[in-house]
């Protein structure tokens, strides 16, 4: 693995401790070859073909390349119920508030009605920018997080916003 890939994988480890959120939708990214990534837990997302699938403890989906990564964490209704919550009556605002509180980030609603959080973190390998969204499915909530190097966020955040539009819940 090269330096960028190693750094991006380090980000993933931090993500397990710092969940964040953003939004859900349904359209294709701009004219490039794509692949459909499926969590197997009720969420699919269309990603650029050059992202490589990997496995990472704590994530139901993890893809990366030298420029950015995408991860998904699933929190089932069963898990939330066992924690004393009522997930069937929670909406995305409630869930985004929960994730925000637990992780010290702020979620805002975007023009499409999605809850998103953007923040930067400095790790020993560099500065990283995170873009996250939350989704509610029939049996789970999802935190979808994208990450890139902070100095490249102007390039990648617009791509992340387009990728969020490809999320499908089943």
């Amino acid at each position: 693995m090269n330096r960028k890939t190693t750094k991006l994988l380090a980000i993933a480890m931090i993500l397990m401790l710092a969940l964040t959120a953003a939004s859900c939708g349904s359209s294709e990214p701009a004219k490039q070859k794509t692949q459909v990534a499926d969590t197997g837990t009720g969420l699919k997302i269309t990603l650029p073909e050059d992202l490589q699938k990997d496995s990472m403890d704590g994530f139901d989906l993890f893809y990366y390349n030298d420029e950015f990564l995408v991860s998904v964490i699933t929190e089932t209704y069963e898990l939330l119920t066992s924690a004393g919550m009522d997930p069937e009556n929670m909406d995305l605002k409630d869930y985004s508030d929960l994730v925000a509180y637990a992780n010290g980030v702020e979620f805002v609603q975007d023009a499409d009605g999605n809850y998103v959080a953007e923040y930067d973190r400095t790790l020993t390998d560099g500065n990283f920018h995170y873009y996250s969204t939350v989704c509610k499915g029939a049996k789970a909530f999802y935190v979808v997080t994208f990450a890139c190097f902070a100095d490249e966020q102007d390039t990648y955040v617009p791509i992340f916003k387009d990728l969020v539009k490809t999320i499908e819940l089943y």
Side-chain angles (χ1 to χ4, degrees), residues 11-120:
I11 294 169
M13 298 306 291
I14 297 303
L15 287 174
M16 289 174 48
L17 300 174
L19 298 177
T20 56
S23 59
C24 300
S26 64
S27 72
E28 291 291 314
K31 302 177 186 175
Q32 67 185 88
K33 291 184 179 182
T34 60
Q35 61 183 317
V36 175
D38 189 338
T39 62
T41 63
L43 182 143
K44 294 180 185 180
I45 183 170
T46 302
L47 299 172
E49 188 177 62
D50 69 335
L51 287 175
Q52 298 176 8
K53 183 178 183 177
D54 203 349
S55 62
M56 185 76 59
D57 286 341
F59 295 98
D60 297 295
L61 185 135
F62 188 87
Y63 281 73
Y64 71 97
N65 63 18
D66 288 342
E67 288 80 36
F68 67 91
L69 65 80
V70 180
S71 65
V72 177
I73 296 173
T74 303
E75 292 193 293
T76 65
Y77 287 6
E78 183 180 334
L79 174 70
L80 294 169
T81 299
S82 71
M85 296 173 214
D86 183 9
E88 300 223 10
N89 291 310
M90 290 174 70
D91 61 17
L92 281 176
K93 171 75 170 115
D94 297 330
Y95 185 69
S96 69
D97 288 346
L98 177 67
V99 175
Y101 177 77
N103 296 286
V105 297
E106 181 180 350
F107 291 93
V108 296
Q109 200 167 19
D110 69 11
D112 295 323
N114 301 306
Y115 289 91
V116 298
E118 288 191 66
Y119 66 96
D120 292 333

Side-chain angles (χ1 to χ4, degrees), residues 135-155:
C135 303
K136 182 178 182 178
K139 296 182 181 184
F141 282 93
Y142 304 90
V143 178
V144 181
T145 301
F146 303 88
C148 65
F149 292 98
D151 62 355
E152 297 175 353
Q153 68 183 314
D154 291 343
T155 299

